[in-house]
Amino acid sequence: MIKTRPIKAGVVGWPISHSLSPRLHSYWLQKYNLDGEYLAYEVKPEELGDFIKSLPKKNITGLNLTVPHKEIVFPFLDDVDDVARKIGAVNTIIVRDGRLYGTNTDGYGFLTNLMENAPEWSAESGPAVIIGAGGAARAAIVSLLEAGVPEIRLINRTKSRAEKLGDIYEDSRLKICDWQDRSKSLSDAALLVNTTTLGMKGQPALDIDLTALPVSAVVYDIVYNPLETDLLKQAASRGNHCVDGLGMLLYQAAPAFQAWFGKQPTVDQSLRDHVLAGLT
Ligand code: ATR
């Protein structure tokens, strides 16, 4: 009998110790009894190119990328798909026949988490308000425009960053609003998304008055530590349906796992509990 080697994948970042991805992928490997491993690789930005190019030689089948590598990895890949180009970041690499293929599953994770946890929401429900203009905002914008939302109001403390995204996406549905108008901009919105780091453990809360937001709107915070941010607490207390950020992390991992290990994994409560137990 031919002994096959375990399939190797992992996550690369700098630093990497806080990543929950090894915990998440190892859970699925064990659950589906697959012969594979998923490790954490701590690689300095200046060493990223050499590390990426060595993947085929090291028999590594795939990688996730995290801060600060997602935006700087493009030159080291053989092929990058449209979604990664649009988001301006690669979070997943698949090695096939010695070639390195880059994609981005964050937009998929963002939208799938929203649709699974707020089934009453649909793209046609109405305008979306997005707070933030970093990488997570780009994944949210790309997936919501693609889903067909009628309007996105994009609001960032540093307005020029939001305006830059307006220039990149060139879509008349994407409107840039002032930071000081963030509370006013909630009127008739069907979705409010926080993509900033505000509300994260150790960070101040997002300061926003929800009075103008319809109670039928969904409030989605991509922060998952803590799971219930001040924003979500405030929204839930006035009756808005809330979606937390943990699901985005779990759903973005699923297509990568399937591509590397050949099994479509499920996202369920026991996975959530397992990953949550790894939060520090
Ligand atoms: P990511 O790629 O994870 O989205 P990022 O690029 O560092 O992270 O973006 C962080 C986002 O949080 C930005 O929109 C940032 O606003 P600025 O562009 O003005 O910096 C936002 N953010 C972080 N701290 C903030 C604060 N104290 N007040 C308002 N916005 C804040």
Side-chain angles (χ1 to χ4, degrees):
M1 229 173 81
I2 302 164
K3 172 101 179 70
T4 54
R5 271 194 291 235
I7 297 172
K8 276 203 282 189
V11 57
V12 61
W14 177 262
I16 197 64
S17 57
H18 294 298
S19 174
L20 290 170
S21 293
R23 195 171 173 87
L24 163 53
H25 285 275
S26 301
Y27 175 93
W28 280 331
L29 284 171
Q30 210 174 0
K31 174 175 176 179
Y32 300 114
N33 202 17
L34 296 170
D35 189 15
E37 60 182 22
Y38 185 101
L39 301 173
Y41 300 98
E42 192 157 58
V43 175
K44 292 184 182 135
E46 59 271 26
E47 288 162 10
L48 183 68
D50 287 342
F51 179 74
I52 296 295
K53 286 181 201 148
S54 74
L55 294 177
K57 210 172 54 212
K58 291 185 172 133
N59 277 309
I60 296 176
T61 296
L63 267 191
N64 282 132
L65 295 102
T66 185
V67 181
H69 298 326
K70 287 180 178 193
E71 288 88 6
I72 60 170
V73 73
F74 284 79
F76 313 119
L77 300 174
D78 295 305
D79 195 11
V80 176
D81 70 4
D82 278 354
V83 64
R85 285 190 196 286
K86 276 192 190 153
I87 295 176
V90 168
N91 80 333
T92 302
I93 295 174
I94 298 158
V95 184
R96 255 191 226 126
D97 304 324
R99 286 178 64 80
L100 304 169
Y101 166 78
T103 184
N104 192 310
T105 63
D106 285 333
Y108 167 85
F110 171 84
L111 197 64
T112 308
N113 185 37
L114 175 60
M115 294 191 308
E116 290 290 325
N117 290 294
E120 78 280 17
W121 178 87
S122 76
E124 299 79 46
S125 302
V129 176
I130 297 180
I131 313 283
R138 290 184 66 152
I141 293 167
V142 168
S143 61
L144 289 174
L145 287 177
E146 178 82 20
V149 290
E151 182 182 333
I152 294 177
R153 299 170 192 156
L154 183 63
I155 301 164
N156 194 48
R157 173 182 60 177
T158 311
K159 192 177 183 187
S160 56
R161 278 186 93 188
E163 284 169 339
K164 201 169 157 210
L165 296 189
D167 292 342
I168 290 172
Y169 294 119
E170 279 188 318
D171 190 307
S172 58
R173 293 173 294 162
L174 185 57
K175 312 230 158 68
I176 315 303
C177 303
D178 287 332
W179 179 249
Q180 55 273 27
D181 291 339
R182 60 195 180 282
S183 301
K184 255 192 338 211
S185 75
L186 300 175
S187 99
D188 76 8
L191 176 66
L192 165 62
V193 187
N194 174 43
T195 70
T196 73
T197 47
L198 294 169
M200 222 178 246
K201 197 173 151 190
Q203 298 287 324
L206 170 63
D207 178 19
I208 192 164
D209 179 351
L210 299 182
T211 308
L213 185 72
V215 175
S216 56
V218 174
V219 179
Y220 185 176
D221 200 330
I222 69 148
V223 169
Y224 55 80
N225 191 11
L227 212 46
E228 193 181 36
T229 58
D230 282 349
L231 171 66
L232 294 189
K233 264 186 213 149
Q234 198 190 326
S237 74
R238 63 193 293 281
N240 290 99
H241 187 152
C242 292
V243 177
D244 66 58
L246 184 61
M248 179 172 170
L249 174 76
L250 306 181
Y251 284 109
Q252 65 76 32
F257 187 90
Q258 178 167 21
W260 304 325
F261 299 113
K263 169 83 191 166
Q264 188 176 357
T266 52
V267 170
D268 56 19
Q269 189 59 43
S270 56
L271 175 68
R272 269 179 74 89
D273 293 342
H274 178 78
V275 173
L276 265 182
L279 276 181
T280 49

